[in-house]
Amino acid sequence: MTDKNRLRIAVQKSGRLNEGSMKLLKAIGVKLSIRDRLLIAHSTNLPIDLLQVRDDDIPGLVMDGVVDLGFIGENELEEKALERAAAGKASDYDVLTKLDFGDCRLSIAVPKEMSYAGPQDLAGCNVATTYPYLLERFFKQQGVNATALMLTGSVEVAPRAGLAEAICDLVSTGATLEANGLVEVQEIFQSKAVLIQRKGDMPVAKQALIDKLMPRIAGVMQAKESKYIMLHAPKDKLTEVTALLPGAENPTLLPLANCENTVAMHVVCTETLFWETMEKLKALGCSSILVMPIEKMMG
Ligand code: ATP
Ligand code: MG
């Protein structure tokens, strides 16, 4: 049961994008009552319904206007856009923001014993992949005459099974490739998770809700990168101390009881503070250096 006036968001039901998407929704204040076996979950505090589906379905759901927003990997999004273009279907959407999870790359890998000097070495080969459109685009750009062989799973065993000479698959660490005697030789696409919105008319209330959620998303991502720093600094070294702290142009300075030459400095840094920087601060005469995580931020 869904209501057209509620904002519909598609997320991957389970898999590599599920945790990042659900954590982000929680962090921006969307409370959900999830019943595992159901496709749909309702928010208990905002007019939002969550559709939990396979990631393959998310680009189409947004592009066909069935849902308003979707969390999806750029790899899947681009593949589906190319597939739809080949079928003469439009694929309109807006990317609202890149997200800070789901990083991976789509790469060609070949068996260890195969020599690879460049894309031309794949001429005449079958390359197994779940992303035939992205791979074919790469072949076309490189002017290589090779075949993208579509497999929906177990791509990495295709060379051993004699189905293909090479593969093109998603990689983050390379451990799966290594376990199958393959070496990554050519990156063809870099990907991150993104939040996309459907094109077309959006009821005013729904758009207002999206406009309210977007700064929250930016705030959550910014907070993850930022740190709240407190330290005691010698008054005559404040310029040097500030120069060591990224994004600390306007620190708060507070007097310390019974201590003329030292002040307490509070500052939000836009990057995490490395041990090396803390050691330099100490060398300048700073003490009681505390680095604390920030949960939320609003400018
Ligand atoms: P589904 O059942 O939803 O179709 P799936 O098996 O297609 O799931 P997952 O393996 O969960 O997909 O990956 C989903 C997305 O996560 C990928 O399309 C990609 O954008 C991203 N991702 C990040 N790191 C990796 C990785 N190391 N391997 C595969 N995908 C990754
Ligand atoms: Mg999938």
Side-chain angles (χ1 to χ4, degrees):
M1 198 177 42
T2 63
D3 175 345
K4 286 255 177 200
N5 295 315
R6 291 168 68 88
L7 189 68
R8 288 185 181 179
I9 307 179
V11 293
Q12 189 189 24
K13 182 166 173 58
S14 65
R16 289 187 157 96
L17 297 178
N18 173 268
E19 190 188 344
S21 312
M22 300 308 281
K23 266 195 186 161
L24 182 58
L25 286 171
K26 188 173 177 206
I28 61 171
V30 179
K31 295 204 172 101
L32 292 161
S33 70
I34 302 245
R35 274 182 291 161
D36 259 359
R37 279 180 308 153
L38 289 187
L39 175 69
I40 191 147
H42 303 286
S43 167
T44 51
N45 65 329
L46 288 165
I48 293 177
D49 291 334
L50 202 67
L51 267 100
Q52 305 174 86
V53 292
R54 289 199 57 185
D55 73 337
D56 311 52
D57 296 335
I58 296 174
L61 288 170
V62 174
M63 292 167 188
D64 289 332
V66 179
V67 299
D68 302 306
L69 303 181
F71 287 91
I72 187 67
E74 289 171 308
N75 55 309
E76 196 63 50
L77 184 59
E78 188 73 6
E79 176 72 13
K80 283 294 184 298
L82 293 173
E83 184 185 326
R84 288 169 69 102
K89 271 190 179 174
S91 49
D92 278 348
Y93 60 88
D94 285 319
V95 175
L96 294 183
T97 181
K98 288 205 181 214
L99 299 164
D100 56 3
F101 57 91
D103 291 45
C104 59
R105 53 193 189 272
L106 185 62
S107 286
I108 295 174
V110 300
K112 267 191 209 123
E113 53 287 353
M114 178 172 156
S115 69
Y116 183 91
Q120 289 303 334
D121 287 354
L122 296 168
C125 290
N126 280 332
V127 182
T129 187
T130 312
Y131 299 93
Y133 286 94
L134 286 171
L135 182 57
E136 267 163 17
R137 181 172 72 180
F138 174 77
F139 287 153
K140 207 174 264 172
Q141 284 164 352
Q142 299 292 324
V144 180
N145 192 9
T147 308
L149 178 75
M150 169 68 170
L151 289 182
T152 56
S154 309
V155 168
E156 64 285 351
V157 299
R160 255 190 297 152
L163 296 174
E165 282 78 24
I167 71 159
C168 176
D169 206 1
L170 293 174
V171 188
S172 51
T173 61
T176 313
L177 293 181
E178 171 126 31
N180 286 283
L182 300 166
V183 222
E184 181 179 1
V185 290
Q186 179 90 49
E187 179 183 299
I188 72 161
F189 192 81
Q190 271 201 351
S191 183
K192 264 179 174 301
V194 287
L195 178 61
I196 56 170
Q197 177 174 343
R198 71 172 171 82
K199 285 274 195 190
D201 287 346
M202 192 68 80
V204 176
K206 270 196 195 185
Q207 189 58 51
L209 179 56
I210 296 171
D211 294 344
K212 185 178 159 117
L213 296 179
M214 290 314 294
R216 293 190 187 181
I217 292 179
V220 169
M221 291 199 291
Q222 209 189 339
K224 263 194 247 169
E225 300 225 314
S226 304
K227 294 282 177 273
Y228 193 84
I229 318 272
M230 297 202 296
L231 50 80
H232 292 175
K235 263 187 186 161
D236 59 349
K237 290 281 166 36
L238 290 181
T239 320
E240 291 94 321
V241 171
T242 311
L244 281 173
L245 299 169
E249 287 78 21
N250 300 306
T252 306
L253 299 178
L254 302 161
L256 285 174
N258 312 320
C259 206
E260 284 284 300
N261 306 322
T262 309
V263 288
M265 185 187 269
H266 288 204
V267 77
V268 173
C269 272
T270 49
E271 292 167 23
T272 194
L273 209 61
F274 294 106
W275 284 111
E276 289 74 13
T277 313
M278 292 174 72
E279 283 152 9
K280 284 184 193 157
L281 290 168
K282 189 121 203 323
L284 281 172
C286 295
S287 60
S288 306
I289 308 168
L290 298 182
V291 180
M292 285 169 292
I294 297 173
E295 192 185 285
K296 295 188 180 76
M297 274 175 104
M298 194 171 269

